[in-house]
mmCIF file of all heavy atoms in Angstrom:
data_model
loop_
_atom_site.group_PDB
_atom_site.id
_atom_site.type_symbol
_atom_site.label_atom_id
_atom_site.label_comp_id
_atom_site.label_asym_id
_atom_site.label_seq_id
_atom_site.Cartn_x
_atom_site.Cartn_y
_atom_site.Cartn_z
ATOM 1 N N MET K 1 -6.675 20.087 73.591
ATOM 2 C CA MET K 1 -6.098 20.180 72.277
ATOM 3 C C MET K 1 -7.212 20.477 71.289
ATOM 4 O O MET K 1 -8.197 19.771 71.222
ATOM 5 C CB MET K 1 -5.391 18.868 71.949
ATOM 6 C CG MET K 1 -4.850 18.794 70.540
ATOM 7 S SD MET K 1 -4.108 17.187 70.150
ATOM 8 C CE MET K 1 -2.410 17.544 70.487
ATOM 9 N N GLY K 2 -7.024 21.513 70.541
ATOM 10 C CA GLY K 2 -8.026 21.859 69.553
ATOM 11 C C GLY K 2 -7.961 20.947 68.342
ATOM 12 O O GLY K 2 -6.939 20.307 68.072
ATOM 13 N N LEU K 3 -9.042 20.873 67.643
ATOM 14 C CA LEU K 3 -9.106 20.016 66.462
ATOM 15 C C LEU K 3 -8.055 20.425 65.444
ATOM 16 O O LEU K 3 -7.417 19.567 64.818
ATOM 17 C CB LEU K 3 -10.509 20.073 65.848
ATOM 18 C CG LEU K 3 -10.732 19.188 64.634
ATOM 19 C CD1 LEU K 3 -10.496 17.720 64.983
ATOM 20 C CD2 LEU K 3 -12.127 19.370 64.109
ATOM 21 N N ASP K 4 -7.848 21.729 65.287
ATOM 22 C CA ASP K 4 -6.851 22.221 64.347
ATOM 23 C C ASP K 4 -5.455 21.707 64.693
ATOM 24 O O ASP K 4 -4.709 21.261 63.821
ATOM 25 C CB ASP K 4 -6.863 23.760 64.348
ATOM 26 C CG ASP K 4 -6.009 24.353 63.253
ATOM 27 O OD1 ASP K 4 -6.060 23.835 62.116
ATOM 28 O OD2 ASP K 4 -5.293 25.334 63.539
ATOM 29 N N ASP K 5 -5.109 21.731 65.997
ATOM 30 C CA ASP K 5 -3.802 21.228 66.435
ATOM 31 C C ASP K 5 -3.684 19.736 66.187
ATOM 32 O O ASP K 5 -2.621 19.243 65.787
ATOM 33 C CB ASP K 5 -3.586 21.524 67.913
ATOM 34 C CG ASP K 5 -3.416 23.004 68.204
ATOM 35 O OD1 ASP K 5 -2.926 23.721 67.301
ATOM 36 O OD2 ASP K 5 -3.752 23.431 69.312
ATOM 37 N N LYS K 6 -4.749 19.000 66.447
ATOM 38 C CA LYS K 6 -4.720 17.555 66.231
ATOM 39 C C LYS K 6 -4.475 17.231 64.757
ATOM 40 O O LYS K 6 -3.710 16.336 64.431
ATOM 41 C CB LYS K 6 -6.028 16.910 66.692
ATOM 42 C CG LYS K 6 -6.181 16.846 68.181
ATOM 43 C CD LYS K 6 -7.478 16.166 68.573
ATOM 44 C CE LYS K 6 -7.636 16.156 70.084
ATOM 45 N NZ LYS K 6 -8.874 15.491 70.497
ATOM 46 N N ILE K 7 -5.138 17.976 63.877
ATOM 47 C CA ILE K 7 -4.979 17.755 62.444
ATOM 48 C C ILE K 7 -3.545 18.067 62.007
ATOM 49 O O ILE K 7 -2.938 17.313 61.256
ATOM 50 C CB ILE K 7 -6.010 18.575 61.647
ATOM 51 C CG1 ILE K 7 -7.407 18.030 61.920
ATOM 52 C CG2 ILE K 7 -5.688 18.567 60.159
ATOM 53 C CD1 ILE K 7 -8.523 18.898 61.382
ATOM 54 N N LYS K 8 -3.012 19.187 62.484
ATOM 55 C CA LYS K 8 -1.637 19.567 62.126
ATOM 56 C C LYS K 8 -0.637 18.526 62.621
ATOM 57 O O LYS K 8 0.300 18.172 61.911
ATOM 58 C CB LYS K 8 -1.292 20.937 62.707
ATOM 59 C CG LYS K 8 -1.955 22.080 62.002
ATOM 60 C CD LYS K 8 -1.592 23.418 62.627
ATOM 61 C CE LYS K 8 -2.311 24.553 61.971
ATOM 62 N NZ LYS K 8 -2.017 25.842 62.601
ATOM 63 N N ASN K 9 -0.810 18.047 63.856
ATOM 64 C CA ASN K 9 0.105 17.052 64.394
ATOM 65 C C ASN K 9 -0.002 15.741 63.626
ATOM 66 O O ASN K 9 1.015 15.092 63.359
ATOM 67 C CB ASN K 9 -0.160 16.824 65.881
ATOM 68 C CG ASN K 9 0.243 17.995 66.732
ATOM 69 O OD1 ASN K 9 1.002 18.868 66.304
ATOM 70 N ND2 ASN K 9 -0.265 18.052 67.940
ATOM 71 N N ALA K 10 -1.216 15.342 63.283
ATOM 72 C CA ALA K 10 -1.397 14.124 62.508
ATOM 73 C C ALA K 10 -0.753 14.253 61.133
ATOM 74 O O ALA K 10 -0.110 13.313 60.646
ATOM 75 C CB ALA K 10 -2.877 13.790 62.374
ATOM 76 N N ALA K 11 -0.909 15.422 60.511
ATOM 77 C CA ALA K 11 -0.305 15.654 59.199
ATOM 78 C C ALA K 11 1.212 15.603 59.296
ATOM 79 O O ALA K 11 1.865 15.004 58.428
ATOM 80 C CB ALA K 11 -0.763 16.998 58.648
ATOM 81 N N GLN K 12 1.768 16.195 60.332
ATOM 82 C CA GLN K 12 3.215 16.181 60.503
ATOM 83 C C GLN K 12 3.719 14.753 60.714
ATOM 84 O O GLN K 12 4.757 14.372 60.173
ATOM 85 C CB GLN K 12 3.628 17.066 61.689
ATOM 86 C CG GLN K 12 5.131 17.225 61.812
ATOM 87 C CD GLN K 12 5.515 18.228 62.893
ATOM 88 O OE1 GLN K 12 4.760 18.484 63.812
ATOM 89 N NE2 GLN K 12 6.684 18.786 62.777
ATOM 90 N N ASP K 13 2.972 13.957 61.458
ATOM 91 C CA ASP K 13 3.333 12.563 61.687
ATOM 92 C C ASP K 13 3.287 11.779 60.381
ATOM 93 O O ASP K 13 4.186 10.997 60.087
ATOM 94 C CB ASP K 13 2.399 11.949 62.730
ATOM 95 C CG ASP K 13 2.847 10.568 63.156
ATOM 96 O OD1 ASP K 13 4.035 10.403 63.496
ATOM 97 O OD2 ASP K 13 2.010 9.644 63.144
ATOM 98 N N ILE K 14 2.253 12.002 59.581
ATOM 99 C CA ILE K 14 2.118 11.301 58.299
ATOM 100 C C ILE K 14 3.248 11.687 57.354
ATOM 101 O O ILE K 14 3.831 10.815 56.679
ATOM 102 C CB ILE K 14 0.743 11.596 57.668
ATOM 103 C CG1 ILE K 14 -0.356 10.920 58.494
ATOM 104 C CG2 ILE K 14 0.684 11.144 56.221
ATOM 105 C CD1 ILE K 14 -1.760 11.363 58.146
ATOM 106 N N VAL K 15 3.594 12.962 57.308
ATOM 107 C CA VAL K 15 4.702 13.418 56.458
ATOM 108 C C VAL K 15 5.995 12.751 56.918
ATOM 109 O O VAL K 15 6.793 12.288 56.099
ATOM 110 C CB VAL K 15 4.834 14.958 56.492
ATOM 111 C CG1 VAL K 15 6.142 15.402 55.855
ATOM 112 C CG2 VAL K 15 3.660 15.608 55.797
ATOM 113 N N GLY K 16 6.196 12.677 58.215
ATOM 114 C CA GLY K 16 7.392 12.024 58.735
ATOM 115 C C GLY K 16 7.455 10.557 58.378
ATOM 116 O O GLY K 16 8.522 10.051 57.986
ATOM 117 N N LYS K 17 6.349 9.868 58.480
ATOM 118 C CA LYS K 17 6.309 8.451 58.118
ATOM 119 C C LYS K 17 6.580 8.260 56.634
ATOM 120 O O LYS K 17 7.285 7.322 56.244
ATOM 121 C CB LYS K 17 4.961 7.840 58.498
ATOM 122 C CG LYS K 17 4.812 7.648 59.984
ATOM 123 C CD LYS K 17 3.463 7.075 60.357
ATOM 124 C CE LYS K 17 3.352 6.956 61.876
ATOM 125 N NZ LYS K 17 2.058 6.451 62.317
ATOM 126 N N ALA K 18 6.026 9.152 55.826
ATOM 127 C CA ALA K 18 6.262 9.064 54.377
ATOM 128 C C ALA K 18 7.732 9.287 54.047
ATOM 129 O O ALA K 18 8.316 8.553 53.248
ATOM 130 C CB ALA K 18 5.392 10.077 53.647
ATOM 131 N N LYS K 19 8.326 10.299 54.660
ATOM 132 C CA LYS K 19 9.748 10.569 54.421
ATOM 133 C C LYS K 19 10.611 9.373 54.838
ATOM 134 O O LYS K 19 11.528 8.994 54.128
ATOM 135 C CB LYS K 19 10.207 11.804 55.202
ATOM 136 C CG LYS K 19 9.804 13.103 54.591
ATOM 137 C CD LYS K 19 10.392 14.274 55.390
ATOM 138 C CE LYS K 19 10.053 15.603 54.782
ATOM 139 N NZ LYS K 19 10.638 16.718 55.544
ATOM 140 N N GLU K 20 10.282 8.802 55.987
ATOM 141 C CA GLU K 20 11.046 7.647 56.472
ATOM 142 C C GLU K 20 10.902 6.470 55.513
ATOM 143 O O GLU K 20 11.891 5.809 55.171
ATOM 144 C CB GLU K 20 10.575 7.247 57.862
ATOM 145 C CG GLU K 20 11.389 6.128 58.471
ATOM 146 C CD GLU K 20 10.940 5.749 59.870
ATOM 147 O OE1 GLU K 20 9.960 6.319 60.390
ATOM 148 O OE2 GLU K 20 11.573 4.855 60.443
ATOM 149 N N THR K 21 9.693 6.207 55.041
ATOM 150 C CA THR K 21 9.459 5.100 54.119
ATOM 151 C C THR K 21 10.187 5.307 52.794
ATOM 152 O O THR K 21 10.833 4.382 52.291
ATOM 153 C CB THR K 21 7.939 4.943 53.864
ATOM 154 O OG1 THR K 21 7.286 4.698 55.106
ATOM 155 C CG2 THR K 21 7.652 3.811 52.910
ATOM 156 N N ILE K 22 10.091 6.511 52.250
ATOM 157 C CA ILE K 22 10.775 6.805 50.989
ATOM 158 C C ILE K 22 12.280 6.726 51.183
ATOM 159 O O ILE K 22 12.996 6.191 50.328
ATOM 160 C CB ILE K 22 10.355 8.194 50.445
ATOM 161 C CG1 ILE K 22 8.883 8.152 50.035
ATOM 162 C CG2 ILE K 22 11.235 8.618 49.270
ATOM 163 C CD1 ILE K 22 8.281 9.508 49.757
ATOM 164 N N GLY K 23 12.768 7.226 52.308
ATOM 165 C CA GLY K 23 14.199 7.155 52.588
ATOM 166 C C GLY K 23 14.689 5.727 52.688
ATOM 167 O O GLY K 23 15.763 5.381 52.184
ATOM 168 N N ASN K 24 13.904 4.871 53.316
ATOM 169 C CA ASN K 24 14.282 3.451 53.418
ATOM 170 C C ASN K 24 14.272 2.804 52.038
ATOM 171 O O ASN K 24 15.147 1.993 51.726
ATOM 172 C CB ASN K 24 13.324 2.701 54.354
ATOM 173 C CG ASN K 24 13.623 2.972 55.809
ATOM 174 O OD1 ASN K 24 14.760 3.183 56.193
ATOM 175 N ND2 ASN K 24 12.590 2.953 56.623
ATOM 176 N N ALA K 25 13.292 3.137 51.210
ATOM 177 C CA ALA K 25 13.176 2.536 49.885
ATOM 178 C C ALA K 25 14.303 2.978 48.960
ATOM 179 O O ALA K 25 14.711 2.215 48.085
ATOM 180 C CB ALA K 25 11.829 2.894 49.264
ATOM 181 N N THR K 26 14.801 4.192 49.160
ATOM 182 C CA THR K 26 15.850 4.724 48.279
ATOM 183 C C THR K 26 17.232 4.719 48.927
ATOM 184 O O THR K 26 18.174 5.266 48.357
ATOM 185 C CB THR K 26 15.496 6.160 47.848
ATOM 186 O OG1 THR K 26 15.411 6.988 49.017
ATOM 187 C CG2 THR K 26 14.207 6.206 47.078
ATOM 188 N N ASP K 27 17.341 4.106 50.089
ATOM 189 C CA ASP K 27 18.612 4.084 50.850
ATOM 190 C C ASP K 27 19.147 5.499 51.103
ATOM 191 O O ASP K 27 20.334 5.749 51.011
ATOM 192 C CB ASP K 27 19.678 3.241 50.139
ATOM 193 C CG ASP K 27 19.375 1.755 50.220
ATOM 194 O OD1 ASP K 27 18.763 1.343 51.218
ATOM 195 O OD2 ASP K 27 19.760 1.021 49.289
ATOM 196 N N ASN K 28 18.246 6.415 51.412
ATOM 197 C CA ASN K 28 18.601 7.800 51.682
ATOM 198 C C ASN K 28 18.514 8.011 53.203
ATOM 199 O O ASN K 28 17.436 8.248 53.750
ATOM 200 C CB ASN K 28 17.648 8.747 50.941
ATOM 201 C CG ASN K 28 18.026 10.201 51.082
ATOM 202 O OD1 ASN K 28 18.688 10.587 52.035
ATOM 203 N ND2 ASN K 28 17.576 11.007 50.149
ATOM 204 N N ASP K 29 19.652 7.880 53.876
ATOM 205 C CA ASP K 29 19.684 7.984 55.327
ATOM 206 C C ASP K 29 19.255 9.352 55.830
ATOM 207 O O ASP K 29 18.652 9.474 56.899
ATOM 208 C CB ASP K 29 21.080 7.657 55.863
ATOM 209 C CG ASP K 29 21.450 6.194 55.641
ATOM 210 O OD1 ASP K 29 20.532 5.357 55.531
ATOM 211 O OD2 ASP K 29 22.660 5.902 55.572
ATOM 212 N N LYS K 30 19.558 10.402 55.065
ATOM 213 C CA LYS K 30 19.161 11.756 55.470
ATOM 214 C C LYS K 30 17.639 11.876 55.513
ATOM 215 O O LYS K 30 17.083 12.442 56.439
ATOM 216 C CB LYS K 30 19.756 12.774 54.509
ATOM 217 C CG LYS K 30 19.433 14.202 54.883
ATOM 218 C CD LYS K 30 20.019 15.193 53.889
ATOM 219 C CE LYS K 30 19.579 16.602 54.259
ATOM 220 N NZ LYS K 30 19.816 17.558 53.185
ATOM 221 N N LEU K 31 16.974 11.330 54.510
ATOM 222 C CA LEU K 31 15.520 11.388 54.449
ATOM 223 C C LEU K 31 14.889 10.562 55.577
ATOM 224 O O LEU K 31 13.901 10.963 56.167
ATOM 225 C CB LEU K 31 15.022 10.917 53.082
ATOM 226 C CG LEU K 31 13.617 11.313 52.681
ATOM 227 C CD1 LEU K 31 13.423 12.821 52.744
ATOM 228 C CD2 LEU K 31 13.300 10.817 51.283
ATOM 229 N N VAL K 32 15.498 9.432 55.886
ATOM 230 C CA VAL K 32 15.010 8.598 57.006
ATOM 231 C C VAL K 32 15.110 9.397 58.303
ATOM 232 O O VAL K 32 14.166 9.429 59.097
ATOM 233 C CB VAL K 32 15.816 7.279 57.107
ATOM 234 C CG1 VAL K 32 15.460 6.531 58.381
ATOM 235 C CG2 VAL K 32 15.555 6.404 55.903
ATOM 236 N N ALA K 33 16.245 10.057 58.508
ATOM 237 C CA ALA K 33 16.444 10.846 59.726
ATOM 238 C C ALA K 33 15.451 12.002 59.787
ATOM 239 O O ALA K 33 14.904 12.290 60.862
ATOM 240 C CB ALA K 33 17.877 11.366 59.769
ATOM 241 N N GLU K 34 15.208 12.664 58.663
ATOM 242 C CA GLU K 34 14.231 13.762 58.638
ATOM 243 C C GLU K 34 12.846 13.240 59.001
ATOM 244 O O GLU K 34 12.108 13.885 59.735
ATOM 245 C CB GLU K 34 14.190 14.412 57.251
ATOM 246 C CG GLU K 34 15.358 15.295 56.938
ATOM 247 C CD GLU K 34 15.268 15.877 55.534
ATOM 248 O OE1 GLU K 34 14.181 15.878 54.930
ATOM 249 O OE2 GLU K 34 16.316 16.355 55.046
ATOM 250 N N GLY K 35 12.493 12.082 58.470
ATOM 251 C CA GLY K 35 11.189 11.492 58.763
ATOM 252 C C GLY K 35 11.028 11.162 60.227
ATOM 253 O O GLY K 35 9.989 11.445 60.827
ATOM 254 N N LYS K 36 12.056 10.583 60.812
ATOM 255 C CA LYS K 36 11.999 10.255 62.240
ATOM 256 C C LYS K 36 11.921 11.523 63.080
ATOM 257 O O LYS K 36 11.215 11.551 64.096
ATOM 258 C CB LYS K 36 13.207 9.407 62.630
ATOM 259 C CG LYS K 36 13.128 7.992 62.088
ATOM 260 C CD LYS K 36 14.287 7.144 62.544
ATOM 261 C CE LYS K 36 14.164 5.736 61.987
ATOM 262 N NZ LYS K 36 15.238 4.865 62.469
ATOM 263 N N ALA K 37 12.621 12.566 62.669
ATOM 264 C CA ALA K 37 12.586 13.828 63.399
ATOM 265 C C ALA K 37 11.188 14.457 63.326
ATOM 266 O O ALA K 37 10.684 14.960 64.340
ATOM 267 C CB ALA K 37 13.633 14.807 62.836
ATOM 268 N N GLU K 38 10.569 14.408 62.152
ATOM 269 C CA GLU K 38 9.207 14.931 62.002
ATOM 270 C C GLU K 38 8.242 14.199 62.930
ATOM 271 O O GLU K 38 7.403 14.808 63.575
ATOM 272 C CB GLU K 38 8.722 14.759 60.555
ATOM 273 C CG GLU K 38 9.415 15.618 59.553
ATOM 274 C CD GLU K 38 8.706 16.926 59.284
ATOM 275 O OE1 GLU K 38 7.536 17.078 59.649
ATOM 276 O OE2 GLU K 38 9.366 17.800 58.704
ATOM 277 N N GLN K 39 8.379 12.885 62.976
ATOM 278 C CA GLN K 39 7.505 12.087 63.830
ATOM 279 C C GLN K 39 7.738 12.401 65.309
ATOM 280 O O GLN K 39 6.783 12.489 66.092
ATOM 281 C CB GLN K 39 7.741 10.601 63.582
ATOM 282 C CG GLN K 39 7.267 10.139 62.221
ATOM 283 C CD GLN K 39 7.616 8.703 61.958
ATOM 284 O OE1 GLN K 39 7.093 7.818 62.620
ATOM 285 N NE2 GLN K 39 8.487 8.476 60.989
ATOM 286 N N ALA K 40 8.993 12.606 65.680
ATOM 287 C CA ALA K 40 9.302 12.930 67.067
ATOM 288 C C ALA K 40 8.714 14.288 67.460
ATOM 289 O O ALA K 40 8.190 14.442 68.559
ATOM 290 C CB ALA K 40 10.820 12.920 67.278
ATOM 291 N N LYS K 41 8.790 15.247 66.546
ATOM 292 C CA LYS K 41 8.212 16.570 66.814
ATOM 293 C C LYS K 41 6.694 16.460 67.005
ATOM 294 O O LYS K 41 6.132 17.079 67.911
ATOM 295 C CB LYS K 41 8.505 17.530 65.653
ATOM 296 C CG LYS K 41 9.935 18.012 65.586
ATOM 297 C CD LYS K 41 10.115 18.928 64.383
ATOM 298 C CE LYS K 41 11.566 19.230 64.119
ATOM 299 N NZ LYS K 41 11.730 20.045 62.885
ATOM 300 N N ALA K 42 6.059 15.689 66.137
ATOM 301 C CA ALA K 42 4.605 15.512 66.233
ATOM 302 C C ALA K 42 4.239 14.843 67.559
ATOM 303 O O ALA K 42 3.270 15.245 68.224
ATOM 304 C CB ALA K 42 4.085 14.712 65.056
ATOM 305 N N ASP K 43 5.015 13.837 67.947
ATOM 306 C CA ASP K 43 4.747 13.141 69.213
ATOM 307 C C ASP K 43 4.936 14.075 70.403
ATOM 308 O O ASP K 43 4.163 14.038 71.357
ATOM 309 C CB ASP K 43 5.652 11.922 69.365
ATOM 310 C CG ASP K 43 5.285 10.792 68.415
ATOM 311 O OD1 ASP K 43 4.161 10.811 67.864
ATOM 312 O OD2 ASP K 43 6.137 9.897 68.215
ATOM 313 N N ALA K 44 5.971 14.914 70.347
ATOM 314 C CA ALA K 44 6.228 15.838 71.449
ATOM 315 C C ALA K 44 5.100 16.873 71.563
ATOM 316 O O ALA K 44 4.651 17.196 72.666
ATOM 317 C CB ALA K 44 7.565 16.544 71.242
ATOM 318 N N LYS K 45 4.644 17.368 70.429
ATOM 319 C CA LYS K 45 3.544 18.338 70.443
ATOM 320 C C LYS K 45 2.280 17.696 70.994
ATOM 321 O O LYS K 45 1.551 18.303 71.778
ATOM 322 C CB LYS K 45 3.280 18.867 69.041
ATOM 323 C CG LYS K 45 4.333 19.816 68.532
ATOM 324 C CD LYS K 45 4.008 20.260 67.118
ATOM 325 C CE LYS K 45 5.101 21.123 66.534
ATOM 326 N NZ LYS K 45 4.814 21.494 65.143
ATOM 327 N N LYS K 46 2.011 16.459 70.594
ATOM 328 C CA LYS K 46 0.833 15.758 71.072
ATOM 329 C C LYS K 46 0.913 15.548 72.583
ATOM 330 O O LYS K 46 -0.062 15.760 73.293
ATOM 331 C CB LYS K 46 0.666 14.418 70.374
ATOM 332 C CG LYS K 46 -0.597 13.677 70.794
ATOM 333 C CD LYS K 46 -0.689 12.325 70.122
ATOM 334 C CE LYS K 46 -1.938 11.572 70.515
ATOM 335 N NZ LYS K 46 -2.181 11.435 71.932
ATOM 336 N N ALA K 47 2.075 15.167 73.064
ATOM 337 C CA ALA K 47 2.247 14.958 74.495
ATOM 338 C C ALA K 47 2.031 16.263 75.260
ATOM 339 O O ALA K 47 1.379 16.282 76.313
ATOM 340 C CB ALA K 47 3.641 14.405 74.789
ATOM 341 N N GLY K 48 2.564 17.354 74.755
ATOM 342 C CA GLY K 48 2.378 18.655 75.388
ATOM 343 C C GLY K 48 0.913 19.070 75.431
ATOM 344 O O GLY K 48 0.423 19.577 76.439
ATOM 345 N N GLU K 49 0.216 18.847 74.344
ATOM 346 C CA GLU K 49 -1.207 19.181 74.304
ATOM 347 C C GLU K 49 -2.020 18.278 75.229
ATOM 348 O O GLU K 49 -2.966 18.719 75.846
ATOM 349 C CB GLU K 49 -1.739 19.094 72.870
ATOM 350 C CG GLU K 49 -1.200 20.170 71.954
ATOM 351 C CD GLU K 49 -1.624 21.571 72.370
ATOM 352 O OE1 GLU K 49 -2.725 21.753 72.911
ATOM 353 O OE2 GLU K 49 -0.829 22.498 72.146
ATOM 354 N N ASP K 50 -1.617 17.016 75.337
ATOM 355 C CA ASP K 50 -2.308 16.091 76.247
ATOM 356 C C ASP K 50 -2.168 16.552 77.700
ATOM 357 O O ASP K 50 -3.104 16.456 78.476
ATOM 358 C CB ASP K 50 -1.774 14.671 76.097
ATOM 359 C CG ASP K 50 -2.226 14.009 74.792
ATOM 360 O OD1 ASP K 50 -3.133 14.550 74.131
ATOM 361 O OD2 ASP K 50 -1.652 12.966 74.433
ATOM 362 N N VAL K 51 -0.982 17.063 78.041
ATOM 363 C CA VAL K 51 -0.765 17.572 79.400
ATOM 364 C C VAL K 51 -1.666 18.788 79.641
ATOM 365 O O VAL K 51 -2.286 18.891 80.691
ATOM 366 C CB VAL K 51 0.724 17.931 79.609
ATOM 367 C CG1 VAL K 51 0.914 18.705 80.918
ATOM 368 C CG2 VAL K 51 1.577 16.671 79.613
ATOM 369 N N LYS K 52 -1.731 19.675 78.665
ATOM 370 C CA LYS K 52 -2.598 20.844 78.795
ATOM 371 C C LYS K 52 -4.055 20.424 78.992
ATOM 372 O O LYS K 52 -4.767 20.987 79.816
ATOM 373 C CB LYS K 52 -2.500 21.733 77.558
ATOM 374 C CG LYS K 52 -1.223 22.521 77.436
ATOM 375 C CD LYS K 52 -1.306 23.372 76.167
ATOM 376 C CE LYS K 52 0.002 23.995 75.823
ATOM 377 N NZ LYS K 52 -0.070 24.741 74.540
ATOM 378 N N ASP K 53 -4.492 19.432 78.204
ATOM 379 C CA ASP K 53 -5.867 18.946 78.295
ATOM 380 C C ASP K 53 -6.158 18.340 79.665
ATOM 381 O O ASP K 53 -7.264 18.464 80.181
ATOM 382 C CB ASP K 53 -6.169 17.926 77.199
ATOM 383 C CG ASP K 53 -6.273 18.557 75.836
ATOM 384 O OD1 ASP K 53 -6.398 19.796 75.743
ATOM 385 O OD2 ASP K 53 -6.225 17.819 74.833
ATOM 386 N N THR K 54 -5.163 17.707 80.253
ATOM 387 C CA THR K 54 -5.336 17.081 81.553
ATOM 388 C C THR K 54 -5.646 18.110 82.634
ATOM 389 O O THR K 54 -6.449 17.866 83.524
ATOM 390 C CB THR K 54 -4.079 16.283 81.951
ATOM 391 O OG1 THR K 54 -3.844 15.286 80.949
ATOM 392 C CG2 THR K 54 -4.215 15.635 83.295
ATOM 393 N N PHE K 55 -5.023 19.274 82.537
ATOM 394 C CA PHE K 55 -5.191 20.299 83.558
ATOM 395 C C PHE K 55 -6.363 21.242 83.302
ATOM 396 O O PHE K 55 -6.593 22.163 84.063
ATOM 397 C CB PHE K 55 -3.897 21.097 83.736
ATOM 398 C CG PHE K 55 -2.808 20.288 84.380
ATOM 399 C CD1 PHE K 55 -1.736 19.813 83.624
ATOM 400 C CD2 PHE K 55 -2.854 19.994 85.723
ATOM 401 C CE1 PHE K 55 -0.742 19.065 84.209
ATOM 402 C CE2 PHE K 55 -1.876 19.242 86.316
ATOM 403 C CZ PHE K 55 -0.806 18.781 85.568
ATOM 404 N N LYS K 56 -7.114 21.018 82.245
ATOM 405 C CA LYS K 56 -8.283 21.865 81.971
ATOM 406 C C LYS K 56 -9.462 21.413 82.754
ATOM 407 O O LYS K 56 -9.683 20.368 83.139
ATOM 408 C CB LYS K 56 -8.615 21.854 80.476
ATOM 409 C CG LYS K 56 -7.643 22.703 79.692
ATOM 410 C CD LYS K 56 -8.099 22.779 78.242
ATOM 411 C CE LYS K 56 -7.160 23.686 77.473
ATOM 412 N NZ LYS K 56 -7.513 23.788 76.077
#
């Protein structure tokens, strides 16, 4: 996993956590769901990159 990919995935995870937190604070279920989805995407990308790194 390149440093650029790690930074992008971390940023996506942080954005997702922020959306989830703001959604919880404002009782906005849509924003909570978007935040969780962002975090899931970041986790999936990280897992995929970890698999690639394993086989290098």
Side-chain angles (χ1 to χ4, degrees):
M1 175 184 264
L3 182 60
D4 189 43
D5 291 332
K6 287 182 182 181
I7 292 170
K8 286 179 183 178
N9 290 343
Q12 187 173 24
D13 188 50
I14 291 168
V15 168
K17 287 179 182 178
K19 282 184 178 181
E20 184 179 2
T21 300
I22 293 168
N24 283 327
T26 60
D27 288 330
N28 185 336
D29 293 335
K30 182 181 176 194
L31 199 55
V32 171
E34 285 179 17
K36 288 183 180 183
E38 291 267 345
Q39 291 175 66
K41 287 179 190 176
D43 289 343
K45 288 178 185 177
K46 183 183 180 308
E49 291 296 327
D50 288 347
V51 169
K52 287 181 190 176
D53 289 344
T54 300
F55 290 106
K56 284 186 177 179

